[in-house]
Amino acid sequence: MHLAAFVSAGPVSGSHGGWRYPGADHDITSLGYYTRLARTLEDGCFDFVFMADILAVPDRLHDSMDSQLRYGALGSLRLDPMIVLAAMCGATRHVGLACTISTTYFEPFAVARAMATLDHLSGGRAAWNIVTSFQDSEARNFGRTQQFAREERYDRADEFLEVTCKLWDSWADDALVRDPAAPLFADPAKVRRINHDGRWFKVRGPLNVSRSPQGRPVLLQAGASDRGKDFAARWAEVVFVTHAAPEPAAAFRHDLRARAERFGRNPDDIKVMPGIVPVVAETRTMAEDRRALLESLAHPTAGLSTLSYHLDIDLSEFPQDEMLPEMDVPGVQGHYREVAELTRRSGIPLGELGRRYGVGRTAAGFTGSPTDVVDNMEKWLAAGACDGFMIQTPYMPGGLDDVARLVVPELQRRALFRRGYEGTTLRDNLGLTRPAA
Ligand SMILES: Cc1cc2nc3c(=O)[nH]c(=O)nc-3n(C[C@H](O)[C@H](O)[C@H](O)COP(=O)(O)O)c2cc1C
């Protein structure tokens, strides 16, 4: 089983009540906060830390950013994830470092270079969470009034990946010779231009960074629309999903593996990791009390506001005491499908849905003692729903301490999880092959 930790360099990672939780560390703009967190994850043998990102303060609910800022909702503050990961890199030796970067607002050369640099400095621990972004408020920070349509975003992302892969492969593995006597620093015969000339990008290359330990960073993705799944099946090595129950998650994984085969890939080269929000304590009663406290601390408007931003729809325009209607959302289809599943199953009205969304992801059964939580993880695994989990802890950094202290030893006792790092690179630890140049 693989484990990753979802972290946002801001107030919310798993629950909107988290930053108000007693003992929460508010020092989210300090270096020490992130280096301590990275060490906790490494002590817990996590595969990688995943840094989410967003390029604007969300303002979808009531066309205003007030509730997002006032209630410390998702995206109200967000440090640059690459710089945070560089700091974590210096404080650790094994844990993988996954950075979210948008293909819509950045350029392939700069991204390929930053990723190759992180891979070198970390000794082969870099990963890229490829996002296409999904809000107009982000477009407005990058010289546009509206975002591209989904199809265009994915067209650009496909070409973006073609270019970055060509750049990472533009230096042969043995191109950097560093022979002072010859003298031969780098062999010109082993460094090539890429001469890419496409619809979105013109890039001559080569990259000005030699081939990095993993060859290419591990590629992560979270698209759940039809096009998003094809994109993941073509490029991604780890897919991050959200599902309310193991059965739909298993269907998703099955579909994704079949799509990967259609792209000529081995389905085992694509790992599916659902996001879960564990609330764990020594006993079930303590965990339930903790969950109740978190629920009371998450302001209902904060959850509705974040759900509005995720779906890119102003949910204040719908009756709060009725069920969320079926619709085609411009935003994240993965999040829509997750809340639609929950609405269908339990028939809860929109206002309540917003409240639950604010408390944390909607998958049930992850509140309890270490035995309860690990039993449920085993159930998901046995149902073929996943290859591991993306842990979104509701309160930081204590929630990750609790997972490392309580859940990881129980997983290890059942021989479901490593007791030490087996490999030197993130690819080794995830069981992924290193791409040839
Ligand atoms: C669990 C999850 C986490 C995500 N994290 C981010 C993120 O940190 N930043 C971002 O811009 N998009 C994020 N996304 C959005 C996806 O990358 C993608 O853009 C979005 O799902 C739209 O594609 P889709 O319609 O194919 O799902 C996330 C999506 C999911 C389901």
Side-chain angles (χ1 to χ4, degrees), residues 52-53 100 131-132 134 150 154 222-225 228 240 242 331-335:
D53 198 26
T100 297
V131 299
T132 50
F134 52 89
R150 178 177 278 112
Y154 277 117
S225 61
F240 176 25
T242 54
V332 183
Q333 290 200 352
H335 292 315

Side-chain angles (χ1 to χ4, degrees), residues 101-106 108 128 130-133 148-165 196 199-201 219 221 227-228 231-232 234-235:
I101 306 180
S102 171
T103 54
T104 301
Y105 300 112
F106 296 100
W128 172 18
I130 308 156
V131 299
T132 50
S133 304
F148 296 123
R150 178 177 278 112
E151 285 298 310
E152 281 195 297
R153 298 202 295 270
Y154 277 117
D155 285 347
R156 183 181 157 107
D158 270 321
E159 194 182 324
F160 201 112
L161 264 290
E162 283 165 26
V163 179
T164 49
C165 288
H196 177 89
R199 174 181 164 207
W200 298 90
F201 307 109
L219 301 178
Q221 213 263 343
R227 184 71 197 271
F231 182 85
R234 181 172 174 199
W235 299 107

Side-chain angles (χ1 to χ4, degrees), residues 13-59:
S13 284
S15 161
H16 285 69
W19 69 277
R20 299 176 66 205
Y21 188 77
D25 187 344
H26 294 293
D27 223 1
I28 55 172
T29 53
S30 79
L31 179 71
Y33 178 90
Y34 296 100
T35 51
R36 270 195 303 278
L37 206 147
R39 285 195 205 101
T40 301
L41 296 174
E42 186 155 285
D43 290 345
C45 298
F46 274 62
D47 289 78
F48 61 94
V49 49
F50 165 89
M51 299 289 301
D53 198 26
I54 168 176
L55 300 167
V57 175
D59 57 3

